[in-house]
Every structure is written in structure tokens, then in C-alpha cells.
Amino acid sequence: MVSTLKAAAAGDQTQQDSPRLKLAVQKSGRLTDPSLDLLSRCGLKLSRGKDQLIGYGENLPLDVLFVRDDDIPDLVQEDVCDLGLVGLNVLTEKSLQLTARGFAPSFRQLRDLDFGRCRLALAAPDSFHYAGPSTLQGRRIATTYPQALQKYLRERGVVADIVTLSGAVEIAPRLGRADLICDLVSTGSTLAANHLRELDTVLESHAVLIQTPKPLVPEKAEWVRRLTLRIDGVQQVRESKYIMLHAPRSALPTIRQLLPGTEAPTILPLEGATDKVAVHAVCRENVFWETLENLKQAGASALLVLPVEKMLR
Ligand code: ATP
Ligand code: ZN
């Protein structure tokens, strides 16, 4: 698979005049839509035929390779792709695997992203009596993340039988293949549906942006810099709101304290009013109704909350 991708990526490069960044994204799965949404918010317009392996950036020198998420760390480590968007869970497992084989993983982790949140967790049938990690001694634990699980057990001095599966981990206890499981959980509904109870977290995960360990040519490095700045901007505005209000000057100290996640509000004079001012501020947290009610209580009026579309610090 990786060699097919290498050929596709190499073929693409020869058709281009200036160097183009290659970014690996999950082809079809939980990370696909949020990854493409992030790139589109960063201003990338992709032309992509149905089922095509590569999406061409129409307005930026950046092309996207659509692959299985498990292939992304290898593609970036082997310099087939310059960048990748992948779950920390997959990246950690791959790094531990490389280390176990005597290779040094050397991806550069550029950014933590605000999607793909989940945790790798231990879970057992409802009837299993759990009294801490020592209860796991000698048990069979099914997982698709043997390295991460092994590290967790080793750090707790526990020796257990790790049953490595390629999928459908949650049914392993019912099939008699394992006593417990170690699998990805987000809401916990899959566990509940399989009568499994979460016991402990092995790894907290979210999507990350990774970069190849090889040095990039200056044009590519500059586009990575610009892309990461745009990603920072996108992530900052997701929660941010622009708030405007009128307030008596005397209420400003209280109002400043009530504005959530605000560094320095702008205070503007109001035409024809000496004791009142306008306050404009970017709040880096969500503004809830309670906050508005508290601001009003403190003397604010004409309150307006607007979404922030773009931000560059
Ligand atoms: P692929 O065909 O690309 O190998 P997959 O079946 O391994 O797909 P998905 O189930 O789409 O992968 O999950 C992709 C990533 O999404 C996970 O590796 C993880 O980082 C993240 N994720 C977020 N929530 C969950 C969850 N509840 N279960 C599984 N993965 C989750
Ligand atoms: Zn996968």
C-alpha cells in the first residue's frame, strides 16, 4: 500500500513546477470530515474526483493523499508525505512499535487539534470484579493497540496476556477470546451496548498534525509555517465570540472580570454620553446566557454577541 502511494505521490510531483506539500488524511472514517473541514477553513480548495487517491489544492501548493489512518505515520516517517493528520492513538502505537524494533521514531508533532477526541480505555464485562491494575495480572486482554497496552501494564508491574486483534475488539469477551478489552472509547455507548464497563484510561487521544523528520525545502517550509498559523487561527475562533456592550464607567472593573477569556477590551466613548462607554472584546470562551445576565446585572446594556470568523495573532 505504502509503495503504491509512493508511486502516486512521485508521479504527482513531476507534473508540478514548484514544490507542493503533500498531506496525508484519512480516506474514509471519523477523521475525514473534520480534517477536510479544517483544511477548508484554512482556505484550501481541493479538487477531488470520487474515490481518487489524491486531492489537488487549487489555490494553495498543497495536495492531499487519502489513505487509511494506520498508514499515515509510515508515510510521514518515510517522507512520502510531508505532513499528516492522524490520531495520537495511532501515532503513539506506531512510535512504540518502531522503538520496539530498534528504530527511532522521528515525526515532528506540529499541532494538537481540537477534533478526534477519544481515549484508549480498559473495559470489562459488567460482572468482572476490578480493584485496580493488579486485578489485570494474568488476564487475557484483547486490543488493536498492543504496544500502548504493553507500556501501560509494564509501568504498573502487571503481566497479562495481550490478544492482538485487527478489529471487533468489543465482542472478544463474549466470544471467549479475552477476559477484558482495551479499545477506543468516545461516548461509551458501544461499551454499554456490549455490556462492558470502563475501568481505566490507557491513553487520552485527539488528532495531531505531524511533519516528516526530513528538512523541507524553503518553499515548503514557508507553506507549513503559513498553514500552522492558519490552523491556530481556526482553532482559536471556534470558541471565540466578539462581544459589544454599553456600560457606565463605574461598572468597568466588574464588567472586565465578567468577560470570559478576555485579555484587553477596547473602551470607546459614546457620543453625547459622559458617564457611559462602549466595550468591545474578543472572548476566547463561549459566552453563555448566564454571563450576559451577570453583565446586565452589573450595569451593562445593548449587549451584542457575534461569532468570530477569522483571527490572526
Ligand atoms: P481506517 O479504515 O482508516 O483504518 P479505522 O476504522 O481505523 O479506519 P476510525 O474508526 O474511522 O478508523 O477512527 C479513526 C480515528 O478516529 C481513530 O484512530 C481515533 O483517533 C479517532 N476516534 C475518535 N473517536 C473514536 C471512537 N469512538 N472510536 C474509534 N476512533 C475514534
Ligand atoms: Zn485504522
Side-chain angles (χ1 to χ4, degrees):
M1 182 60 184
V2 171
S3 54
T4 318
L5 292 165
K6 273 183 183 168
D12 163 57
Q13 187 65 76
T14 53
Q15 290 164 18
Q16 310 296 335
D17 299 326
S18 59
R20 296 176 66 81
L21 279 174
K22 284 188 202 68
L23 165 70
V25 165
Q26 190 185 23
K27 185 172 198 280
S28 161
R30 293 172 199 258
L31 298 180
T32 310
D33 287 347
S35 298
L36 293 177
D37 178 62
L38 176 68
L39 294 173
S40 136
R41 283 171 195 268
C42 287
L44 177 71
K45 287 198 176 65
L46 270 189
S47 72
R48 181 193 178 193
K50 231 177 172 254
D51 295 328
Q52 270 180 0
L53 199 63
I54 297 184
Y56 294 95
E58 290 176 358
N59 55 338
L60 304 180
L62 187 157
D63 300 325
V64 174
L65 254 77
F66 292 97
V67 295
R68 285 199 58 199
D69 68 342
D70 314 72
D71 289 331
I72 294 175
D74 277 343
L75 289 167
V76 175
Q77 167 90 11
E78 292 174 20
D79 203 31
V80 179
C81 290
D82 308 293
L83 301 168
L85 291 173
V86 68
L88 188 61
N89 51 315
V90 169
L91 188 69
T92 305
E93 183 67 17
K94 183 58 72 175
S95 302
L96 292 169
Q97 212 177 71
L98 284 171
T99 311
R101 289 191 198 141
F103 299 104
S106 46
F107 327 93
R108 292 184 53 200
Q109 205 171 309
L110 293 186
R111 287 294 183 278
D112 290 315
L113 304 170
D114 58 4
F115 61 87
R117 286 195 187 285
C118 58
R119 56 198 179 276
L120 186 61
L122 281 161
D126 293 334
S127 57
F128 185 87
H129 176 72
Y130 180 73
S134 60
T135 329
L136 306 171
Q137 184 71 28
R139 301 291 189 160
R140 290 172 308 157
I141 313 175
T143 189
T144 48
Y145 295 88
Q147 298 291 341
L149 174 59
Q150 183 65 269
K151 179 168 183 279
Y152 169 93
L153 295 172
R154 205 185 312 117
E155 284 170 0
R156 286 155 185 80
V158 175
V159 179
D161 181 7
I162 298 176
V163 182
T164 305
L165 301 179
S166 54
V169 170
E170 65 283 359
I171 59 168
R174 256 187 296 154
L175 298 179
R177 298 185 70 181
D179 306 307
L180 301 98
I181 67 163
C182 171
D183 203 8
L184 292 178
V185 183
S186 48
T187 60
S189 56
T190 309
L191 290 185
N194 287 285
H195 304 287
L196 295 166
R197 187 167 47 96
E198 198 171 332
L199 307 177
D200 198 10
T201 300
V202 171
L203 179 80
E204 293 278 359
S205 184
H206 50 263
V208 289
L209 172 69
I210 55 170
Q211 183 183 326
T212 171
K214 298 259 176 68
L216 296 175
V217 295
E219 295 96 321
K220 283 190 177 186
E222 171 58 15
W223 270 105
V224 171
R225 192 190 66 79
R226 290 175 72 170
L227 182 68
T228 47
L229 267 184
R230 290 185 189 190
I231 289 176
D232 293 343
V234 170
Q235 300 212 117
Q236 271 167 19
V237 299
R238 276 210 238 259
E239 283 266 288
S240 298
K241 296 281 179 285
Y242 193 76
I243 186 164
M244 299 194 274
L245 55 87
H246 291 177
R249 278 188 183 280
S250 58
L252 284 178
T254 320
I255 284 179
R256 276 195 71 156
Q257 281 187 352
L258 287 171
L259 290 171
T262 301
E263 279 161 26
T266 308
I267 314 288
L268 302 162
L270 281 173
E271 188 67 28
T274 48
D275 59 333
K276 265 193 169 186
V277 288
V279 179
H280 290 196
V282 174
C283 297
R284 291 189 204 288
E285 294 166 26
N286 222 332
V287 179
F288 296 105
W289 280 110
E290 289 74 17
T291 312
L292 295 185
E293 285 158 6
N294 292 339
L295 286 165
K296 201 160 168 46
Q297 186 82 28
S301 58
L303 291 129
L304 207 58
V305 180
L306 305 168
V308 176
E309 176 153 322
K310 289 190 177 70
M311 195 191 287
L312 213 56
R313 302 248 274 168

